[in-house]
Amino acid sequence: MKLEFPKGFIWGCASASYQIEGAPAEDGKGPSIWDVFSHKPGAIAGGFTGDVACDAYHRLDEDLDLMGNLGIPNYRFSISWPRVIPQGTGPVNEAGLAYYDRVVDGCLARGITPWITLYHWDLPQALQDKGGWESRETAEAFAGFARLIADHFRERVHHIMTINEPQIIVGLGYGAGLHAPGLKLPADRLFACWHNVMLAHGLASKEIRLSSPDYRIGLSSTGALGYIADHTEETPADLPEFSFHTLKPDEPADPSSYCWFNHHWFLDPVCLGHYPDDPDSPWASCAEGVSQSDLDLICQPPDFIGMNIYNGTELDPQRGYAPAPKYPGYPRTSLKWPVTPEVMYWGCRQIYERYGLPICITENGQGCHDRIFLDGKVHDPDRIDLLHRYLGELSAVCADGVPVLGYFHWSFTDNLEWHSGYDDRFGLIYVDYRDQRRIPKDSARWYSDLIHR
Ligand code: GCO
């Protein structure tokens, strides 16, 4: 498979604060919803928490050295809101901000460009106590946090992503109860959360633009994407069936489950200024009540659309674009996600054709049950094969003229895979959680070689 990318293509790795940092109460940090949720019995597989995770808070230099030595040119990380503003609003925790100064300066000193994600799910618990994303005040508080970060880093950072995956924040956190804060709200209250997350993007984007015109603003979206295996030039990219459902397209429709928020419910209001015209959606009646002034606040088109793409659903045109049946033994990752490289091609094309904005792959990778082999190394041919296939499709969509700015591998180190715990490893760098030893996997060398061909 050809792996050819446009000149200036951005290569990087990604991480998120709660998944790697540990140090949940150190140096003045306030608790996040994940600090609280993870301690509930049964919340995380194996009964683990993120209290230590990869101990990245204390091992920053070691991790950045590894990244620098591999020559990874860009690092997407998230800032823990309660580490910086312990109560979500009000006094700033200077020690928390100083940690992210060290992250940013440490990147720059090693020739790595820092990309900030403002919200990767660790909401201050103090805000959850006042309603969390059900409350509009959370969106307003988020804009304040965004402004603080934008002002603080504007000389050193030029890429900020507002929200990572509203689909998961609301669906899994407030609908299915699998993620923090572990709620199962009815449909109308779930939509209120959704709308406030949309407002958070809009209000924050405005603040970032006011802070500096030099910022390139992004967001990260996820959701089910469909594709047709035997496609031709004529296959339209923007079939509604290609993205209608999220995560579990073959599940029965259930407004209280997380499967209904898709890319369009996020990107239409943000980029086009209205919720999708989708009468069959369980959210259609909720969206009717939204005011024009709110839609105006939300409509802050980003400079690039970040897509987190892991898998998609093959659709069968002969059967009304229903999901194509899977053969026995279909290739899957350790989390049982199907291996479907074509989704890279179709996902990018579809989103570009609908919104006309540059795309950046802000996450892609594979969960594996990696382990240390007898020779002391971590061999991960599965991951290398998956990356090769998915990047081959990405290369093809670039060749077909879709402006893809770059690709961030998820993740740099192994880390806490949310409610699934620590078994499913996504890193290029293996973490031995017994002693926090880092071992670059074969894929780390492969990825580095790809970047530096
Ligand atoms: C997400 C999150 C990451 C996950 C990764 C693998 O996109 O779900 O951004 O935090 O760990 O995607 O599931």
Side-chain angles (χ1 to χ4, degrees), residues 15-16 19 76 120-121 164-165 168 172 179 220-222 308-310 335 337 362-367 410-411 415-418 420 426:
S15 74
Q19 293 180 277
R76 169 183 179 233
H120 205 129
W121 311 351
N164 182 71
E165 300 185 353
I168 303 295
L172 287 195
H179 277 192
S220 289
S221 186
T222 193
N308 295 351
I309 299 186
Y310 291 92
L335 280 164
W337 298 355
T362 40
E363 287 180 27
N364 166 249
Q366 172 171 3
W410 182 271
S411 179
N415 57 52
L416 174 71
E417 180 55 18
W418 306 109
S420 303
F426 276 86

PDB file of all heavy atoms in Angstrom, residues 15-16 19 76 120-121 164-165 168 172 179 220-222 308-310 335 337 362-367 410-411 415-418 420 426, ligand 1:
ATOM      1  N   SER A  15      -2.558  12.203  23.588  1.00  0.00           N
ATOM      2  CA  SER A  15      -2.823  11.652  24.923  1.00  0.00           C
ATOM      3  C   SER A  15      -3.923  12.491  25.566  1.00  0.00           C
ATOM      4  O   SER A  15      -4.382  13.470  24.987  1.00  0.00           O
ATOM      5  CB  SER A  15      -1.561  11.694  25.800  1.00  0.00           C
ATOM      6  OG  SER A  15      -1.303  13.024  26.213  1.00  0.00           O
ATOM      7  N   ALA A  16      -4.337  12.100  26.769  1.00  0.00           N
ATOM      8  CA  ALA A  16      -5.323  12.898  27.507  1.00  0.00           C
ATOM      9  C   ALA A  16      -4.967  12.859  28.990  1.00  0.00           C
ATOM     10  O   ALA A  16      -4.518  11.827  29.507  1.00  0.00           O
ATOM     11  CB  ALA A  16      -6.726  12.341  27.297  1.00  0.00           C
ATOM     12  N   GLN A  19      -6.023  10.093  31.510  1.00  0.00           N
ATOM     13  CA  GLN A  19      -5.557   8.763  31.130  1.00  0.00           C
ATOM     14  C   GLN A  19      -4.090   8.524  31.447  1.00  0.00           C
ATOM     15  O   GLN A  19      -3.645   7.384  31.514  1.00  0.00           O
ATOM     16  CB  GLN A  19      -5.810   8.540  29.635  1.00  0.00           C
ATOM     17  CG  GLN A  19      -7.283   8.485  29.302  1.00  0.00           C
ATOM     18  CD  GLN A  19      -7.533   8.263  27.823  1.00  0.00           C
ATOM     19  OE1 GLN A  19      -7.513   9.203  27.043  1.00  0.00           O
ATOM     20  NE2 GLN A  19      -7.774   7.031  27.430  1.00  0.00           N
ATOM     21  N   ARG A  76      -0.249  16.122  20.813  1.00  0.00           N
ATOM     22  CA  ARG A  76      -1.581  16.578  21.232  1.00  0.00           C
ATOM     23  C   ARG A  76      -1.835  16.048  22.642  1.00  0.00           C
ATOM     24  O   ARG A  76      -1.866  14.837  22.856  1.00  0.00           O
ATOM     25  CB  ARG A  76      -2.638  16.042  20.256  1.00  0.00           C
ATOM     26  CG  ARG A  76      -4.046  16.240  20.737  1.00  0.00           C
ATOM     27  CD  ARG A  76      -5.098  15.629  19.799  1.00  0.00           C
ATOM     28  NE  ARG A  76      -6.401  15.869  20.383  1.00  0.00           N
ATOM     29  CZ  ARG A  76      -7.326  14.940  20.628  1.00  0.00           C
ATOM     30  NH1 ARG A  76      -7.124  13.683  20.297  1.00  0.00           N
ATOM     31  NH2 ARG A  76      -8.456  15.261  21.197  1.00  0.00           N
ATOM     32  N   HIS A 120     -10.866  17.060  27.599  1.00  0.00           N
ATOM     33  CA  HIS A 120     -10.864  15.624  27.317  1.00  0.00           C
ATOM     34  C   HIS A 120     -11.431  14.919  28.555  1.00  0.00           C
ATOM     35  O   HIS A 120     -10.787  14.071  29.155  1.00  0.00           O
ATOM     36  CB  HIS A 120      -9.461  15.133  26.946  1.00  0.00           C
ATOM     37  CG  HIS A 120      -9.457  13.895  26.106  1.00  0.00           C
ATOM     38  ND1 HIS A 120      -8.756  13.781  24.932  1.00  0.00           N
ATOM     39  CD2 HIS A 120     -10.072  12.703  26.269  1.00  0.00           C
ATOM     40  CE1 HIS A 120      -8.933  12.581  24.418  1.00  0.00           C
ATOM     41  NE2 HIS A 120      -9.731  11.894  25.223  1.00  0.00           N
ATOM     42  N   TRP A 121     -12.596  15.421  28.981  1.00  0.00           N
ATOM     43  CA  TRP A 121     -13.511  14.694  29.846  1.00  0.00           C
ATOM     44  C   TRP A 121     -13.331  14.834  31.352  1.00  0.00           C
ATOM     45  O   TRP A 121     -14.137  14.314  32.113  1.00  0.00           O
ATOM     46  CB  TRP A 121     -13.555  13.206  29.495  1.00  0.00           C
ATOM     47  CG  TRP A 121     -13.754  12.935  28.035  1.00  0.00           C
ATOM     48  CD1 TRP A 121     -14.062  13.835  27.055  1.00  0.00           C
ATOM     49  CD2 TRP A 121     -13.669  11.677  27.374  1.00  0.00           C
ATOM     50  NE1 TRP A 121     -14.183  13.220  25.840  1.00  0.00           N
ATOM     51  CE2 TRP A 121     -13.936  11.886  26.008  1.00  0.00           C
ATOM     52  CE3 TRP A 121     -13.399  10.383  27.825  1.00  0.00           C
ATOM     53  CZ2 TRP A 121     -13.933  10.843  25.068  1.00  0.00           C
ATOM     54  CZ3 TRP A 121     -13.392   9.353  26.882  1.00  0.00           C
ATOM     55  CH2 TRP A 121     -13.657   9.587  25.530  1.00  0.00           C
ATOM     56  N   ASN A 164     -13.190  17.362  23.003  1.00  0.00           N
ATOM     57  CA  ASN A 164     -12.949  16.039  22.435  1.00  0.00           C
ATOM     58  C   ASN A 164     -14.197  15.171  22.573  1.00  0.00           C
ATOM     59  O   ASN A 164     -14.636  14.868  23.684  1.00  0.00           O
ATOM     60  CB  ASN A 164     -11.785  15.353  23.168  1.00  0.00           C
ATOM     61  CG  ASN A 164     -11.477  13.989  22.580  1.00  0.00           C
ATOM     62  OD1 ASN A 164     -10.953  13.892  21.472  1.00  0.00           O
ATOM     63  ND2 ASN A 164     -11.813  12.923  23.302  1.00  0.00           N
ATOM     64  N   GLU A 165     -14.774  14.828  21.450  1.00  0.00           N
ATOM     65  CA  GLU A 165     -15.859  13.850  21.376  1.00  0.00           C
ATOM     66  C   GLU A 165     -17.076  14.131  22.265  1.00  0.00           C
ATOM     67  O   GLU A 165     -17.330  13.394  23.228  1.00  0.00           O
ATOM     68  CB  GLU A 165     -15.324  12.449  21.701  1.00  0.00           C
ATOM     69  CG  GLU A 165     -14.242  11.972  20.764  1.00  0.00           C
ATOM     70  CD  GLU A 165     -13.824  10.527  21.032  1.00  0.00           C
ATOM     71  OE1 GLU A 165     -14.279   9.943  22.027  1.00  0.00           O
ATOM     72  OE2 GLU A 165     -13.045   9.994  20.243  1.00  0.00           O
ATOM     73  N   ILE A 168     -19.198  11.093  23.042  1.00  0.00           N
ATOM     74  CA  ILE A 168     -18.870  10.187  24.152  1.00  0.00           C
ATOM     75  C   ILE A 168     -19.138  10.871  25.487  1.00  0.00           C
ATOM     76  O   ILE A 168     -19.640  10.252  26.434  1.00  0.00           O
ATOM     77  CB  ILE A 168     -17.402   9.726  24.046  1.00  0.00           C
ATOM     78  CG1 ILE A 168     -17.145   9.046  22.689  1.00  0.00           C
ATOM     79  CG2 ILE A 168     -17.034   8.796  25.194  1.00  0.00           C
ATOM     80  CD1 ILE A 168     -17.908   7.763  22.476  1.00  0.00           C
ATOM     81  N   LEU A 172     -21.900   8.401  26.672  1.00  0.00           N
ATOM     82  CA  LEU A 172     -21.436   7.431  27.667  1.00  0.00           C
ATOM     83  C   LEU A 172     -21.482   7.984  29.087  1.00  0.00           C
ATOM     84  O   LEU A 172     -21.668   7.242  30.043  1.00  0.00           O
ATOM     85  CB  LEU A 172     -19.999   6.980  27.364  1.00  0.00           C
ATOM     86  CG  LEU A 172     -19.777   6.050  26.183  1.00  0.00           C
ATOM     87  CD1 LEU A 172     -18.394   5.419  26.253  1.00  0.00           C
ATOM     88  CD2 LEU A 172     -20.819   4.959  26.108  1.00  0.00           C
ATOM     89  N   HIS A 179     -19.330   6.142  31.585  1.00  0.00           N
ATOM     90  CA  HIS A 179     -18.234   7.073  31.844  1.00  0.00           C
ATOM     91  C   HIS A 179     -18.676   8.070  32.915  1.00  0.00           C
ATOM     92  O   HIS A 179     -19.879   8.232  33.170  1.00  0.00           O
ATOM     93  CB  HIS A 179     -17.895   7.856  30.566  1.00  0.00           C
ATOM     94  CG  HIS A 179     -16.987   7.118  29.621  1.00  0.00           C
ATOM     95  ND1 HIS A 179     -16.380   7.730  28.566  1.00  0.00           N
ATOM     96  CD2 HIS A 179     -16.572   5.826  29.593  1.00  0.00           C
ATOM     97  CE1 HIS A 179     -15.625   6.856  27.912  1.00  0.00           C
ATOM     98  NE2 HIS A 179     -15.740   5.682  28.502  1.00  0.00           N
ATOM     99  N   SER A 220     -12.583  17.724  18.190  1.00  0.00           N
ATOM    100  CA  SER A 220     -12.445  16.315  17.794  1.00  0.00           C
ATOM    101  C   SER A 220     -13.801  15.645  17.854  1.00  0.00           C
ATOM    102  O   SER A 220     -14.469  15.668  18.888  1.00  0.00           O
ATOM    103  CB  SER A 220     -11.463  15.574  18.699  1.00  0.00           C
ATOM    104  OG  SER A 220     -10.149  16.010  18.436  1.00  0.00           O
ATOM    105  N   SER A 221     -14.168  15.056  16.728  1.00  0.00           N
ATOM    106  CA  SER A 221     -15.481  14.430  16.609  1.00  0.00           C
ATOM    107  C   SER A 221     -15.312  12.928  16.413  1.00  0.00           C
ATOM    108  O   SER A 221     -14.317  12.465  15.850  1.00  0.00           O
ATOM    109  CB  SER A 221     -16.203  15.044  15.398  1.00  0.00           C
ATOM    110  OG  SER A 221     -17.525  14.580  15.310  1.00  0.00           O
ATOM    111  N   THR A 222     -16.281  12.187  16.885  1.00  0.00           N
ATOM    112  CA  THR A 222     -16.284  10.753  16.630  1.00  0.00           C
ATOM    113  C   THR A 222     -17.717  10.306  16.329  1.00  0.00           C
ATOM    114  O   THR A 222     -18.659  11.057  16.562  1.00  0.00           O
ATOM    115  CB  THR A 222     -15.725   9.956  17.824  1.00  0.00           C
ATOM    116  OG1 THR A 222     -15.479   8.611  17.409  1.00  0.00           O
ATOM    117  CG2 THR A 222     -16.705   9.908  18.993  1.00  0.00           C
ATOM    118  N   ASN A 308     -11.617  11.544  15.120  1.00  0.00           N
ATOM    119  CA  ASN A 308     -11.058  10.382  15.805  1.00  0.00           C
ATOM    120  C   ASN A 308     -11.679   9.158  15.139  1.00  0.00           C
ATOM    121  O   ASN A 308     -12.867   8.885  15.310  1.00  0.00           O
ATOM    122  CB  ASN A 308     -11.406  10.414  17.292  1.00  0.00           C
ATOM    123  CG  ASN A 308     -10.760  11.592  18.007  1.00  0.00           C
ATOM    124  OD1 ASN A 308      -9.922  12.288  17.430  1.00  0.00           O
ATOM    125  ND2 ASN A 308     -11.123  11.811  19.253  1.00  0.00           N
ATOM    126  N   ILE A 309     -10.878   8.464  14.346  1.00  0.00           N
ATOM    127  CA  ILE A 309     -11.423   7.368  13.531  1.00  0.00           C
ATOM    128  C   ILE A 309     -10.749   6.048  13.899  1.00  0.00           C
ATOM    129  O   ILE A 309      -9.532   5.910  13.762  1.00  0.00           O
ATOM    130  CB  ILE A 309     -11.216   7.641  12.025  1.00  0.00           C
ATOM    131  CG1 ILE A 309     -11.940   8.933  11.603  1.00  0.00           C
ATOM    132  CG2 ILE A 309     -11.723   6.454  11.208  1.00  0.00           C
ATOM    133  CD1 ILE A 309     -11.900   9.209  10.099  1.00  0.00           C
ATOM    134  N   TYR A 310     -11.548   5.119  14.352  1.00  0.00           N
ATOM    135  CA  TYR A 310     -11.027   3.800  14.713  1.00  0.00           C
ATOM    136  C   TYR A 310     -11.638   2.680  13.871  1.00  0.00           C
ATOM    137  O   TYR A 310     -10.970   1.731  13.534  1.00  0.00           O
ATOM    138  CB  TYR A 310     -11.284   3.514  16.200  1.00  0.00           C
ATOM    139  CG  TYR A 310     -10.448   4.385  17.104  1.00  0.00           C
ATOM    140  CD1 TYR A 310     -10.930   5.604  17.578  1.00  0.00           C
ATOM    141  CD2 TYR A 310      -9.164   4.008  17.466  1.00  0.00           C
ATOM    142  CE1 TYR A 310     -10.158   6.411  18.396  1.00  0.00           C
ATOM    143  CE2 TYR A 310      -8.380   4.805  18.288  1.00  0.00           C
ATOM    144  CZ  TYR A 310      -8.885   6.008  18.747  1.00  0.00           C
ATOM    145  OH  TYR A 310      -8.115   6.802  19.545  1.00  0.00           O
ATOM    146  N   LEU A 335     -10.250  -4.733  21.843  1.00  0.00           N
ATOM    147  CA  LEU A 335     -11.537  -4.245  22.349  1.00  0.00           C
ATOM    148  C   LEU A 335     -12.704  -4.735  21.491  1.00  0.00           C
ATOM    149  O   LEU A 335     -13.829  -4.265  21.649  1.00  0.00           O
ATOM    150  CB  LEU A 335     -11.543  -2.709  22.396  1.00  0.00           C
ATOM    151  CG  LEU A 335     -10.838  -2.063  23.592  1.00  0.00           C
ATOM    152  CD1 LEU A 335     -10.564  -0.581  23.326  1.00  0.00           C
ATOM    153  CD2 LEU A 335     -11.646  -2.216  24.876  1.00  0.00           C
ATOM    154  N   TRP A 337     -13.129  -4.153  18.411  1.00  0.00           N
ATOM    155  CA  TRP A 337     -13.501  -3.222  17.354  1.00  0.00           C
ATOM    156  C   TRP A 337     -13.071  -3.824  16.016  1.00  0.00           C
ATOM    157  O   TRP A 337     -11.933  -4.318  15.884  1.00  0.00           O
ATOM    158  CB  TRP A 337     -12.802  -1.868  17.543  1.00  0.00           C
ATOM    159  CG  TRP A 337     -13.177  -1.162  18.811  1.00  0.00           C
ATOM    160  CD1 TRP A 337     -14.101  -1.542  19.728  1.00  0.00           C
ATOM    161  CD2 TRP A 337     -12.595   0.050  19.312  1.00  0.00           C
ATOM    162  NE1 TRP A 337     -14.143  -0.631  20.754  1.00  0.00           N
ATOM    163  CE2 TRP A 337     -13.242   0.339  20.534  1.00  0.00           C
ATOM    164  CE3 TRP A 337     -11.599   0.917  18.845  1.00  0.00           C
ATOM    165  CZ2 TRP A 337     -12.922   1.469  21.292  1.00  0.00           C
ATOM    166  CZ3 TRP A 337     -11.283   2.035  19.590  1.00  0.00           C
ATOM    167  CH2 TRP A 337     -11.940   2.311  20.797  1.00  0.00           C
ATOM    168  N   THR A 362      -7.206  13.354  14.486  1.00  0.00           N
ATOM    169  CA  THR A 362      -6.686  13.658  15.824  1.00  0.00           C
ATOM    170  C   THR A 362      -6.528  12.400  16.676  1.00  0.00           C
ATOM    171  O   THR A 362      -5.917  12.456  17.734  1.00  0.00           O
ATOM    172  CB  THR A 362      -7.564  14.710  16.534  1.00  0.00           C
ATOM    173  OG1 THR A 362      -8.952  14.429  16.263  1.00  0.00           O
ATOM    174  CG2 THR A 362      -7.249  16.101  16.039  1.00  0.00           C
ATOM    175  N   GLU A 363      -7.090  11.280  16.207  1.00  0.00           N
ATOM    176  CA  GLU A 363      -6.827   9.988  16.860  1.00  0.00           C
ATOM    177  C   GLU A 363      -7.073   8.854  15.880  1.00  0.00           C
ATOM    178  O   GLU A 363      -8.045   8.877  15.121  1.00  0.00           O
ATOM    179  CB  GLU A 363      -7.777   9.733  18.052  1.00  0.00           C
ATOM    180  CG  GLU A 363      -7.482  10.552  19.268  1.00  0.00           C
ATOM    181  CD  GLU A 363      -8.450  10.256  20.414  1.00  0.00           C
ATOM    182  OE1 GLU A 363      -8.988   9.121  20.479  1.00  0.00           O
ATOM    183  OE2 GLU A 363      -8.669  11.153  21.228  1.00  0.00           O
ATOM    184  N   ASN A 364      -6.182   7.885  15.952  1.00  0.00           N
ATOM    185  CA  ASN A 364      -6.381   6.587  15.304  1.00  0.00           C
ATOM    186  C   ASN A 364      -5.317   5.665  15.898  1.00  0.00           C
ATOM    187  O   ASN A 364      -4.247   6.110  16.271  1.00  0.00           O
ATOM    188  CB  ASN A 364      -6.198   6.693  13.770  1.00  0.00           C
ATOM    189  CG  ASN A 364      -6.070   5.332  13.104  1.00  0.00           C
ATOM    190  OD1 ASN A 364      -5.005   4.947  12.606  1.00  0.00           O
ATOM    191  ND2 ASN A 364      -7.139   4.587  13.096  1.00  0.00           N
ATOM    192  N   GLY A 365      -5.655   4.409  16.009  1.00  0.00           N
ATOM    193  CA  GLY A 365      -4.685   3.474  16.571  1.00  0.00           C
ATOM    194  C   GLY A 365      -5.398   2.178  16.891  1.00  0.00           C
ATOM    195  O   GLY A 365      -6.539   1.962  16.486  1.00  0.00           O
ATOM    196  N   GLN A 366      -4.712   1.332  17.625  1.00  0.00           N
ATOM    197  CA  GLN A 366      -5.286   0.015  17.913  1.00  0.00           C
ATOM    198  C   GLN A 366      -5.035  -0.396  19.353  1.00  0.00           C
ATOM    199  O   GLN A 366      -3.908  -0.337  19.839  1.00  0.00           O
ATOM    200  CB  GLN A 366      -4.671  -1.041  16.985  1.00  0.00           C
ATOM    201  CG  GLN A 366      -5.101  -2.444  17.387  1.00  0.00           C
ATOM    202  CD  GLN A 366      -4.708  -3.523  16.412  1.00  0.00           C
ATOM    203  OE1 GLN A 366      -4.047  -3.254  15.425  1.00  0.00           O
ATOM    204  NE2 GLN A 366      -5.109  -4.744  16.694  1.00  0.00           N
ATOM    205  N   GLY A 367      -6.077  -0.856  20.006  1.00  0.00           N
ATOM    206  CA  GLY A 367      -5.908  -1.489  21.309  1.00  0.00           C
ATOM    207  C   GLY A 367      -5.437  -2.920  21.113  1.00  0.00           C
ATOM    208  O   GLY A 367      -6.011  -3.661  20.320  1.00  0.00           O
ATOM    209  N   TRP A 410      -3.053   7.653  18.282  1.00  0.00           N
ATOM    210  CA  TRP A 410      -3.491   7.403  19.652  1.00  0.00           C
ATOM    211  C   TRP A 410      -2.941   6.053  20.064  1.00  0.00           C
ATOM    212  O   TRP A 410      -3.324   5.049  19.486  1.00  0.00           O
ATOM    213  CB  TRP A 410      -5.021   7.399  19.783  1.00  0.00           C
ATOM    214  CG  TRP A 410      -5.393   7.181  21.219  1.00  0.00           C
ATOM    215  CD1 TRP A 410      -5.602   5.994  21.866  1.00  0.00           C
ATOM    216  CD2 TRP A 410      -5.520   8.204  22.209  1.00  0.00           C
ATOM    217  NE1 TRP A 410      -5.847   6.207  23.198  1.00  0.00           N
ATOM    218  CE2 TRP A 410      -5.802   7.548  23.432  1.00  0.00           C
ATOM    219  CE3 TRP A 410      -5.398   9.596  22.188  1.00  0.00           C
ATOM    220  CZ2 TRP A 410      -5.974   8.254  24.632  1.00  0.00           C
ATOM    221  CZ3 TRP A 410      -5.591  10.285  23.380  1.00  0.00           C
ATOM    222  CH2 TRP A 410      -5.878   9.611  24.582  1.00  0.00           C
ATOM    223  N   SER A 411      -2.008   6.007  20.986  1.00  0.00           N
ATOM    224  CA  SER A 411      -1.594   7.093  21.837  1.00  0.00           C
ATOM    225  C   SER A 411      -0.074   7.078  21.909  1.00  0.00           C
ATOM    226  O   SER A 411       0.548   6.200  21.314  1.00  0.00           O
ATOM    227  CB  SER A 411      -2.227   6.886  23.210  1.00  0.00           C
ATOM    228  OG  SER A 411      -1.865   7.891  24.109  1.00  0.00           O
ATOM    229  N   ASN A 415      -2.071   3.673  28.320  1.00  0.00           N
ATOM    230  CA  ASN A 415      -2.697   4.477  29.371  1.00  0.00           C
ATOM    231  C   ASN A 415      -4.029   3.867  29.790  1.00  0.00           C
ATOM    232  O   ASN A 415      -4.413   2.794  29.314  1.00  0.00           O
ATOM    233  CB  ASN A 415      -2.857   5.932  28.903  1.00  0.00           C
ATOM    234  CG  ASN A 415      -3.661   6.039  27.622  1.00  0.00           C
ATOM    235  OD1 ASN A 415      -4.766   5.502  27.518  1.00  0.00           O
ATOM    236  ND2 ASN A 415      -3.106   6.728  26.625  1.00  0.00           N
ATOM    237  N   LEU A 416      -4.719   4.561  30.667  1.00  0.00           N
ATOM    238  CA  LEU A 416      -6.001   4.061  31.174  1.00  0.00           C
ATOM    239  C   LEU A 416      -7.074   4.198  30.106  1.00  0.00           C
ATOM    240  O   LEU A 416      -7.418   5.320  29.719  1.00  0.00           O
ATOM    241  CB  LEU A 416      -6.422   4.868  32.417  1.00  0.00           C
ATOM    242  CG  LEU A 416      -7.821   4.503  32.930  1.00  0.00           C
ATOM    243  CD1 LEU A 416      -7.844   3.123  33.563  1.00  0.00           C
ATOM    244  CD2 LEU A 416      -8.327   5.532  33.918  1.00  0.00           C
ATOM    245  N   GLU A 417      -7.566   3.087  29.630  1.00  0.00           N
ATOM    246  CA  GLU A 417      -8.607   3.121  28.597  1.00  0.00           C
ATOM    247  C   GLU A 417      -9.978   3.252  29.277  1.00  0.00           C
ATOM    248  O   GLU A 417     -10.837   2.379  29.184  1.00  0.00           O
ATOM    249  CB  GLU A 417      -8.490   1.882  27.699  1.00  0.00           C
ATOM    250  CG  GLU A 417      -9.507   1.770  26.579  1.00  0.00           C
ATOM    251  CD  GLU A 417      -9.586   2.974  25.630  1.00  0.00           C
ATOM    252  OE1 GLU A 417      -8.647   3.791  25.595  1.00  0.00           O
ATOM    253  OE2 GLU A 417     -10.610   3.089  24.943  1.00  0.00           O
ATOM    254  N   TRP A 418     -10.151   4.342  30.004  1.00  0.00           N
ATOM    255  CA  TRP A 418     -11.429   4.698  30.627  1.00  0.00           C
ATOM    256  C   TRP A 418     -12.042   3.506  31.383  1.00  0.00           C
ATOM    257  O   TRP A 418     -11.317   2.829  32.103  1.00  0.00           O
ATOM    258  CB  TRP A 418     -12.381   5.287  29.574  1.00  0.00           C
ATOM    259  CG  TRP A 418     -11.731   6.442  28.852  1.00  0.00           C
ATOM    260  CD1 TRP A 418     -11.291   6.473  27.560  1.00  0.00           C
ATOM    261  CD2 TRP A 418     -11.389   7.743  29.400  1.00  0.00           C
ATOM    262  NE1 TRP A 418     -10.724   7.705  27.274  1.00  0.00           N
ATOM    263  CE2 TRP A 418     -10.778   8.493  28.371  1.00  0.00           C
ATOM    264  CE3 TRP A 418     -11.556   8.357  30.649  1.00  0.00           C
ATOM    265  CZ2 TRP A 418     -10.313   9.804  28.563  1.00  0.00           C
ATOM    266  CZ3 TRP A 418     -11.105   9.661  30.831  1.00  0.00           C
ATOM    267  CH2 TRP A 418     -10.504  10.358  29.800  1.00  0.00           C
ATOM    268  N   SER A 420     -12.669   0.653  30.524  1.00  0.00           N
ATOM    269  CA  SER A 420     -12.119  -0.661  30.176  1.00  0.00           C
ATOM    270  C   SER A 420     -10.838  -0.982  30.950  1.00  0.00           C
ATOM    271  O   SER A 420     -10.351  -2.111  30.877  1.00  0.00           O
ATOM    272  CB  SER A 420     -11.837  -0.742  28.675  1.00  0.00           C
ATOM    273  OG  SER A 420     -13.004  -0.473  27.954  1.00  0.00           O
ATOM    274  N   PHE A 426      -2.924   1.058  23.916  1.00  0.00           N
ATOM    275  CA  PHE A 426      -2.961   1.785  22.648  1.00  0.00           C
ATOM    276  C   PHE A 426      -1.626   2.456  22.321  1.00  0.00           C
ATOM    277  O   PHE A 426      -1.511   3.144  21.315  1.00  0.00           O
ATOM    278  CB  PHE A 426      -4.035   2.882  22.696  1.00  0.00           C
ATOM    279  CG  PHE A 426      -5.437   2.410  22.375  1.00  0.00           C
ATOM    280  CD1 PHE A 426      -6.258   1.884  23.358  1.00  0.00           C
ATOM    281  CD2 PHE A 426      -5.935   2.490  21.085  1.00  0.00           C
ATOM    282  CE1 PHE A 426      -7.559   1.465  23.071  1.00  0.00           C
ATOM    283  CE2 PHE A 426      -7.227   2.074  20.780  1.00  0.00           C
ATOM    284  CZ  PHE A 426      -8.031   1.558  21.771  1.00  0.00           C
TER     285      PHE A 426
HETATM  286  C1  GCO B   1     -11.555   8.580  22.589  1.00  0.00           C
HETATM  287  C2  GCO B   1     -10.709   9.162  23.507  1.00  0.00           C
HETATM  288  C3  GCO B   1      -9.484   8.395  23.879  1.00  0.00           C
HETATM  289  C4  GCO B   1      -9.560   6.894  23.870  1.00  0.00           C
HETATM  290  C5  GCO B   1      -9.232   6.336  22.524  1.00  0.00           C
HETATM  291  C6  GCO B   1      -9.295   4.834  22.442  1.00  0.00           C
HETATM  292  O1  GCO B   1     -11.438   9.010  21.492  1.00  0.00           O
HETATM  293  O2  GCO B   1     -12.368   7.744  22.929  1.00  0.00           O
HETATM  294  O3  GCO B   1     -10.391  10.370  22.965  1.00  0.00           O
HETATM  295  O4  GCO B   1      -9.333   8.916  25.134  1.00  0.00           O
HETATM  296  O5  GCO B   1      -8.705   6.352  24.785  1.00  0.00           O
HETATM  297  O6  GCO B   1     -10.118   6.830  21.588  1.00  0.00           O
HETATM  298  O7  GCO B   1     -10.572   4.398  22.770  1.00  0.00           O
END
